[in-house]
C-alpha cells in the first residue's frame, strides 16, 4: 500500500526535521597528501606568558608549568612581565614584583636576585626555559617613580614602573649584573638558549617615553647582555602593533647611531611584536575577531620583509591572542565569554593555520606564536579570565596544545573544500560559511591531522560531516591504528561538567577529582584499525561547530 505524506502525523514530520537538515549539510572533503612535505612542522605554539610573575611558584602555577613542559617534545618557553619591578613579591591582577634592584642611602645599587631565581628555578626544574622580558623599571631607577605600584582596576595601570631610567649607566649595569648572575647560576650554554627581549609594548602605556628613548633603552640593554654573553639572543621591540613603531625600530637597528656604543646599528637576533584579535558582542552573542589578529601578523611580516638584512631573522609573536586583557573577566567584559569553552581552542587552531599561511606568503621565519594565558591564584572557578587552567582544572584550550604536540615530523600538504581562504579571513573574518580545515604532519611511522570547525559567530549550527582522505601512504603498510581525540561539549571539557554540577565554587573532593579528569584530553572513540587501500586511507567523521579533532594514525 502506498504511503501518502498526508497520512504521516505532523509531529513525526517535525521530529524528523532536524535529522533531514543535518543530512543536507554538504560533506567537507579534506585531503592530506603524505607525499608532499612543506618543511619541518615547527612547534611555534610552544610559547606562553602572563602578567603576574609571582604566580609562577605558587601551587597551581607550579602544577601548570609542569603540564606545559609535558606538552612538547621540543622546548617550551615562558615569558612574564615585571621581572625587575620593585615590591615584596605579593601578586595582584596585572602586577608582580621581584625587588631585584634597590639603592642604599648613598645611592649605591643593591642587587637581590632571590625572587627572580625562584621564578627561573621553577621553570628550569620543570623543564621549560625563560623567555626573559627585560623590564620593568625599578622604583629607584625610574625617572618618574611616584606613584609606583598601580591599583588596577581602580586607577591607571601606567605608574612609575613604566618610565625610562633616570640613569642609563645604572640601568646598563643592572642588566649586566643580571646576566652575569644568570651565567654563574645556570651556565653559559643554558643562558645562551634563552631569549632576552627588551621591554613590552613600548608603543602604548607600558612605556612613557618616545620611540627614540626606547631605542636608547634597547641599545644599553643589549650592550649589557652581550658584554657578558656574546652568544645571547636579544631582540625586540615587542610592540603592541606592527606598524610605524616596528619600522622605526628596525630602521634604528639597521642604520641608526647606537646610543651605547656610538657605532652604526644595534645587534638584533630576533624580532618580536604582538598580534591581537577583537571580539565583540553582536546581536546578543559573541563575535570573534580573527581578522584583526591575522592583519596584525601580516602587517609585521610585510614590514620585516622590507629590511633584507633582517628578513631571515626569527620572528616571535611574543603575544598572539583573541584580544588584549587576560585579567579582564567575562563577568565584566561579556565579549570575553569565549574563554571557558570550545571557541578558544577552535579560534587558536584557525589562527595557527593563518599564521603559517602568512609566513609562507611572506617567506618569513616565524618561530613562535606566544599564548598570553596562564592561571590566577585565588580567583573564582571559570571566572572568564584568559587562562589555561582555573584552580588547577585544565580548560579546553590547554587540550588544543596537547593535540598540537602530536603534530610531529614534516608538515604535510592539506587541501579542504571547506576551508576559509586566508585573504578572505583578512578581509572580513569567518562570518559566512565556517572554516573547516586542517593541519597535518607526518613521520616514518605516523601521521597526525588537526581538524577544526571554526566560525567567528557564537551561534548554534549543524555539525560538519567530513570525509578525510590520507593519500600516498606507503603501500607496504596494510593498516594503521587510529586514535581520534576530540574537544567539544562532551569531550576534553571540564567547563561543561562544572556547569552540570551546578557551577560549584567550593567543589567537593569527589567533584574536584571528576573535574580534573574532565580537563584532560579525551578520545572520541576507542582506537580502531584503518585499512590502507593502495596507498589511501579514509575516515568519516562529524565535527560540531567550534569543535576540534586530532586524528593520529600510527603503523
Amino acid at each position: 500500500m502506498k504511503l501518502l505524506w498526508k497520512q504521516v502525523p505532523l509531529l513525526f514530520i517535525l521530529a524528523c526535521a532536524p535529522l533531514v537538515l543535518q543530512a543536507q549539510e554538504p560533506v567537507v572533503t579534506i585531503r592530506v597528501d603524505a607525499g608532499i612535505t612543506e618543511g619541518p612542522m615547527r612547534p611555534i605554539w610552544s610559547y606562553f606568558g602572563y602578567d603576574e610573575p609571582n604566580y609562577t611558584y605558587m601551587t597551581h602555577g607550579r602544577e601548570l608549568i609542569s603540564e606545559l613542559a609535558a606538552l612538547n617534545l621540543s622546548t617550551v618557553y615562558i615569558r612574564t612581565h615585571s621581572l625587575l619591578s620593585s615590591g615584596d613579591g605579593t601578586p595582584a591582577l596585572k602586577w608582580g614584583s621581584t625587588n631585584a634592584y634597590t639603592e642604599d642611602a648613598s645611592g649605591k645599587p643593591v642587587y637581590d636576585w632571590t625572587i627572580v631565581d625562584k621564578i627561573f628555578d621553577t621553570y628550569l626544574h620543570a623543564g621549560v626555559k625563560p623567555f626573559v622580558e627585560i623590564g620593568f623599571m625599578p622604583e629607584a631607577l625610574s625617572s618618574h617613580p611616584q606613584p609606583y605600584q598601580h591599583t588596577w582596576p581602580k586607577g591607571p595601570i601606567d605608574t612609575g614602573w613604566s618610565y625610562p631610567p633616570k640613569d642609563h649607566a645604572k640601568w646598563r649595569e643592572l642588566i649586566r649584573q643580571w646576566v652575569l648572575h644568570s651565567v654563574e647560576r645556570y651556565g653559559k650554554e643554558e643562558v645562551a638558549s634563552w631569549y632576552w627581549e627588551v621591554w613590552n609594548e613600548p608603543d602604548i602605556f607600558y612605556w612613557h617615553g618616545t620611540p627614540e628613548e626606547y631605542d636608547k633603552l634597547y641599545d644599553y640593554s643589549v650592550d649589557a647582555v652581550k658584554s657578558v654573553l656574546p652568544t645571547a639572543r636579544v631582540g625586540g621591540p615587542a610592540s603592541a602593533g606592527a606598524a610605524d613603531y616596528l619600522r622605526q625600530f628596525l630602521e634604528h637597528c639597521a642604520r641608526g647611531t647606537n646610543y651605547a656604543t656610538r657605532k652604526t646599528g644595534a645587534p638584533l637576533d630576533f624580532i618580536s611584536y604582538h598580534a591581537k584579535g577583537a571580539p565583540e558582542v553582536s546581536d546578543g552573542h559573541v563575535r570573534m575577531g580573527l581578522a584583526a589578529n591575522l592583519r596584525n601578523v601580516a602587517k609585521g611580516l610585510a614590514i620585516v620583509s622590507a629590511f633584507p638584512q633582517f628578513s631571515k631573522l626569527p620572528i616571535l609573536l611574543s603575544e598572539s591572542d583573541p584580544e588584549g586583557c587576560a585579567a579582564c573577566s567575562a563577568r565584566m567584559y561579556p565579549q570575553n565569554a569565549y574563554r571557558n569553552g570550545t571557541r578558544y581552542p577552535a579560534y587558536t587552531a584557525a589562527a595557527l593555520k593563518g599564521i603559517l599561511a602568512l609566513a609562507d606568503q611572506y617567506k618569513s621565519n616565524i618561530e613562535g606564536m606566544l599564548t598570553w594565558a596562564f592561571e590566577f591564584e585565588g580567583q573564582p572557578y571559570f571566572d572568564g579570565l584568559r587562562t589555561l587552567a582555573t584552580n588547577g582544572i585544565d580548560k579546553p584550550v590547554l587540550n588544543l596544545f596537547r593535540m598540537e604536540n602530536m603534530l610531529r615530523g614534516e608538515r604535510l600538504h592539506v587541501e579542504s573544500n571547506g576551508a576559509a581562504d586566508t585573504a578572505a579571513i583578512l578581509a572580513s573574518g569567518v562570518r559566512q560559511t565556517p572554516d573547516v580545515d586542517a593541519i597535518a604532519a607526518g613521520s616514518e611511522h605516523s601521521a597526525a591531522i588537526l581538524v577544526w570547525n571554526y566560525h567567528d559567530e557564537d551561534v548554534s549550527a549543524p555539525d560538519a560531516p567530513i570525509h578525510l582522505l590520507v593519500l600516498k601512504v606507503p603501500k607496504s603498510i596494510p593498516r594503521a591504528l587510529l586514535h581520534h581525540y576530540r574537544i567539544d561539549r562532551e569531550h576534553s571539557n571540564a567547563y561543561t561538567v562544572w556547569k552540570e554540577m551546578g557551577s560549584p565554587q567550593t567543589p567537593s573532593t569527589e567533584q574536584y577529582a571528576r573535574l580534573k579528569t574532565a580537563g584532560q584530553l579525551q578520545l572520541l572513540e576507542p582506537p580502531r584499525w584503518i585499512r590502507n587501500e593502495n596507498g589511501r586511507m579514509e575516515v568519516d567523521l562529524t565535527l560540531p561547530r567550534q569543535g576540534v579533532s586530532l586524528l593520529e594514525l600510527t603503523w
Side-chain angles (χ1 to χ4, degrees), residues 10-28:
L10 178 60
L11 289 176
F12 177 80
I13 295 173
L14 292 176
C16 291
L19 298 177
V20 173
L21 290 173
Q22 182 80 359
Q24 291 177 342
E25 283 296 301
V27 175
V28 174

Side-chain angles (χ1 to χ4, degrees), residues 269-283:
D269 299 309
F270 66 89
I271 299 166
S272 65
Y273 63 94
H274 298 169
K276 305 283 187 175
E280 59 185 358
V281 176
S282 174
D283 297 327

Side-chain angles (χ1 to χ4, degrees), residues 143 149 185 232 264 269 279 366 394 412 444 470 480:
S143 56
Q149 180 175 344
R185 187 175 183 86
T264 299
D269 299 309
I366 287 281
D394 294 346
L412 304 180
E444 185 179 359
V470 183

Side-chain angles (χ1 to χ4, degrees), residues 376-391:
F376 292 88
E377 294 279 336
Q379 297 299 317
Y381 283 77
F382 295 101
D383 198 39
L385 298 164
R386 195 171 72 235
T387 53
L388 304 174
T390 172
N391 291 289

Side-chain angles (χ1 to χ4, degrees), residues 178-245:
W178 188 8
V179 180
L180 185 63
H181 171 79
S182 298
V183 168
E184 290 173 347
R185 187 175 183 86
Y186 306 111
K188 286 186 176 181
E189 184 177 354
E190 174 60 40
V191 177
S193 71
W194 304 352
Y195 297 94
W196 293 81
E197 181 187 46
V198 180
W199 214 257
N200 173 72
E201 297 184 346
D203 51 332
I204 59 173
F205 56 83
Y206 282 90
W207 177 248
H208 275 284
T210 64
E212 292 74 22
E213 287 174 313
Y214 170 76
D215 295 341
K216 184 176 183 179
L217 185 86
Y218 180 86
D219 291 348
Y220 275 88
S221 302
V222 174
D223 188 57
V225 174
K226 295 282 190 180
S227 70
V228 177
L229 188 62
T231 56
R233 297 183 291 184
V234 294
S239 51
D244 292 340
Y245 207 96

